[in-house]
Amino acid sequence: MTRKHLVFALGLFYPNGEHVTSWRLPDARPERFLDFDYYRDLARTAERGRFAAIFLADELYVWDRFESGVESTVNERLEPFTLLGGLSQATEHIGLVATVSTTYNEPYHVARRLATLDHMSHGRAGWNLVTSASDEEAWNFGRDANLDHAVRYRRGGEFVEVVDRLLDSWDEGAVVADKASGRYADPAKVRPIHHHGEFFDVRGPLNISRSPQRRPALFQAGASEDGKNLAAATADAVFTLGSGTLDAAQDLYRDYKERVAVAGRDPESLAVMPMLAPVIGSTEAEARERADLILELTPDQVALDLLSHRLQTDLSGRDPDEIFTFDFLDEGTVQQSQSAYKAIQRLVEGRSLTLRQVYQAVAGRGFVVGTPEKIADRIEERFNGKAADGFILMAPSLPSGLADLVDHVVPLLTQRGIYPPEYAGATLRENLAGR
Ligand SMILES: Cc1cc2nc3c(=O)[nH]c(=O)nc-3n(C[C@H](O)[C@H](O)[C@H](O)COP(=O)(O)O)c2cc1C
């Protein structure tokens, strides 16, 4: 299988876009963040741009570790499966991907939700596996502290196995629904799974028959050793942080593809999709102005607290104009997000940056600022350069950031022959394959 076209997915964490305070932008619509129509319009715009999927990121807590969290950022988001259920009836082609914590869920519930969404959407369901990195999430599920990083990933691996087996517990044609004979299903084609593992004991079968994709597409975003190995063994797509040089992106891409081959799978069966955070303007100056406005609207305290969160260290007592030094832990001992931690270490090491420069860089991480042509060039360079099979669009501001990309960049990519002129298939899996 060779990938001819790149694929896009629209990523939604903050309803306002992938920037902590872009809800303050003039064209942001905070009054609509709990309106179904707001998401319907985003999904339809992404579908107009022939995006393979809309992916709802999710965390199971309110960010209140620092005061600025509740006061300055949007801490509310609709529950993914519920929202995607509605969107499945308001869209036709776009894939519908829900983030699922494998640490704070049970496989039977998740298999059922996935099969339901896949039936409702005629084969467009997917899930983004996360192991939930924060203690605050543990406190919402009866724990004093989060599971260890390594334990979270072991549980995640077993979770995928159980979900897969449950989704496979009804054979093709198991449902006969023969009114004359009174046979609804063929018992020989509906099997318990009798799973007994380190974390789960699940008898099965699932109480929903086989869905159109049978195995809804699995996304993942962990880039630690455990994260990469789990993705290589099980995922159909992996999200990466995306910032950094072309060389670094090519190395990471090669690393994933090699691990997939070692896991005995076709390397093209895993789509490597870096984050893309474009800020687009009709001129370079206009784009720059827009990016500067987003950062101007970011209070220093919020940017500092985000950095403190990611480094699991309260930095608020430090002088922001002093050169930033930090005793970074060995990556393997970091319990929250290891790859996000490592990305900050790479940013700081060997450079003389002030604390202010570091937290502003982390707040504006990965912005790609420029004209539609410049953004298209960047995308083409990474796709043709074997650094990406597609991108997870985390537009810093919504809805404008998405509309700009769909109206001005997608046509350029289509002209260049690297973007699909139409949806290649009916299911998410087919559209993720980049044919
Ligand atoms: C594009 C992207 C999206 C992510 N979305 C979520 C999310 O919705 N919920 C979540 O808890 N973590 C999310 N993460 C974090 C990852 O799931 C993971 O915890 C993180 O990358 C650290 O993994 P690691 O410790 O294996 O490096 C995301 C990461 C990336 C790069």
Side-chain angles (χ1 to χ4, degrees):
M1 175 179 116
T2 316
R3 290 179 171 274
K4 181 166 170 262
H5 292 131
L6 66 95
V7 291
F8 275 137
L10 170 64
L12 271 182
F13 181 60
Y14 300 109
N16 47 283
E18 187 55 14
H19 185 75
V20 69
T21 49
S22 64
W23 62 270
R24 300 177 66 195
L25 284 169
D27 58 357
R29 307 294 305 278
E31 75 285 1
R32 297 188 66 203
F33 288 167
L34 296 181
D35 282 0
F36 172 75
D37 301 353
Y38 177 75
Y39 300 95
R40 179 204 59 203
D41 297 347
L42 289 173
R44 287 183 172 168
T45 303
E47 192 167 65
R48 184 162 57 78
R50 302 185 297 282
F51 278 42
I54 178 168
F55 137 73
L56 299 183
D58 194 32
E59 286 179 338
L60 300 169
Y61 74 111
V62 158
W63 185 48
D64 61 359
R65 193 179 292 185
F66 303 94
E67 203 175 299
S68 71
V70 172
E71 186 172 30
S72 310
T73 75
V74 181
N75 254 299
E76 50 181 353
R77 55 191 61 83
L78 297 174
E79 194 281 319
F81 278 102
T82 312
L83 176 55
L84 292 171
L87 291 176
S88 73
Q89 306 307 300
T91 55
E92 283 176 50
H93 304 287
I94 197 164
L96 306 161
V97 180
T99 290
V100 170
S101 167
T102 53
T103 302
Y104 300 114
N105 267 301
E106 288 294 327
Y108 200 93
H109 283 313
V110 170
R112 195 155 178 249
R113 291 176 197 140
L114 282 168
T116 300
L117 184 60
D118 206 38
H119 279 293
M120 285 174 67
S121 66
H122 307 295
R124 297 185 281 136
W127 55 312
N128 170 39
L129 182 155
V130 300
T131 65
S132 298
S134 304
D135 282 340
E136 284 87 348
E137 289 166 297
W139 302 338
N140 288 331
F141 295 91
R143 298 188 56 87
D144 298 334
N146 206 358
L147 292 178
D148 269 9
H149 190 276
V151 177
R152 294 201 308 265
Y153 272 103
R154 280 209 315 278
R155 181 183 161 112
E158 189 181 332
F159 198 108
V160 174
E161 183 198 340
V162 178
V163 166
D164 269 359
R165 295 183 63 197
L166 286 169
L167 290 166
D168 200 25
S169 59
W170 292 60
D171 283 350
E172 201 75 61
V175 176
V176 286
D178 180 2
K179 293 180 181 174
S181 68
R183 283 182 92 224
Y184 180 78
D186 176 351
K189 294 184 174 178
V190 184
R191 289 174 311 284
I193 66 168
H194 298 300
H195 174 87
H196 299 290
E198 180 183 2
F199 300 96
F200 305 108
D201 293 304
V202 180
R203 179 183 177 283
L206 189 65
N207 58 352
I208 298 181
S209 60
R210 198 180 201 75
S211 71
Q213 293 182 103
R214 201 231 21 102
R215 185 176 186 270
L218 174 58
F219 292 66
Q220 218 236 306
S224 58
E225 275 305 301
D226 289 340
K228 288 180 195 167
N229 289 333
L230 181 60
T234 62
D236 303 291
V238 66
F239 302 139
T240 67
L241 283 176
S243 49
T245 63
L246 176 60
D247 285 355
Q250 286 169 327
D251 290 348
L252 185 61
Y253 182 95
R254 230 185 341 267
D255 182 3
Y256 273 112
K257 297 289 179 173
E258 283 163 8
R259 286 172 197 251
V260 173
V262 169
R265 299 172 60 204
D266 172 358
E268 294 299 20
S269 63
L270 177 79
V272 177
M273 302 176 69
M275 266 173 67
L276 178 74
V279 180
I280 301 168
S282 55
T283 64
E284 200 65 26
E286 187 189 296
R288 188 71 262 160
E289 208 180 292
R290 194 166 174 76
D292 291 346
L293 176 60
I294 296 174
L295 295 175
E296 269 158 39
L297 292 172
T298 312
D300 273 11
Q301 189 63 49
V302 174
L304 175 64
D305 292 343
L306 261 180
L307 180 64
S308 295
H309 181 99
R310 297 215 168 102
L311 295 178
Q312 295 180 256
T313 307
D314 187 350
L315 302 166
S316 52
R318 295 206 187 185
D319 175 350
D321 296 313
E322 251 179 38
I323 296 299
F324 181 65
T325 56
F326 192 78
D327 291 333
F328 287 95
L329 298 169
D330 168 48
E331 184 188 348
T333 63
V334 172
Q335 288 306 326
Q336 276 187 181
S337 166
Q338 290 184 355
S339 42
Y341 189 94
K342 190 81 189 164
I344 297 169
Q345 188 171 5
R346 272 198 303 270
L347 171 76
V348 168
E349 269 177 350
R351 301 172 70 190
S352 279
L353 300 172
T354 64
L355 172 57
R356 190 189 310 280
Q357 287 171 319
V358 176
Y359 64 59
Q360 285 181 341
V362 171
R365 70 176 176 172
F367 282 15
V368 183
V369 181
T371 60
E373 289 70 23
K374 180 177 169 191
I375 307 294
D377 292 348
R378 161 69 175 246
I379 290 169
E380 186 173 14
E381 171 205 58
R382 303 264 159 152
F383 178 65
N384 290 342
K386 287 282 170 215
D389 296 313
F391 298 86
I392 170 87
L393 175 74
M394 305 291 276
S397 65
L398 290 172
S400 57
L402 170 63
D404 290 344
L405 191 112
V406 167
D407 295 334
H408 305 300
V409 179
V410 163
L412 293 174
L413 298 171
T414 310
Q415 276 160 24
R416 296 180 191 191
I418 58 173
Y419 195 73
E422 64 205 351
Y423 276 100
T427 70
L428 170 53
R429 259 177 197 292
E430 289 163 339
N431 291 319
L432 207 51
R435 297 217 186 94

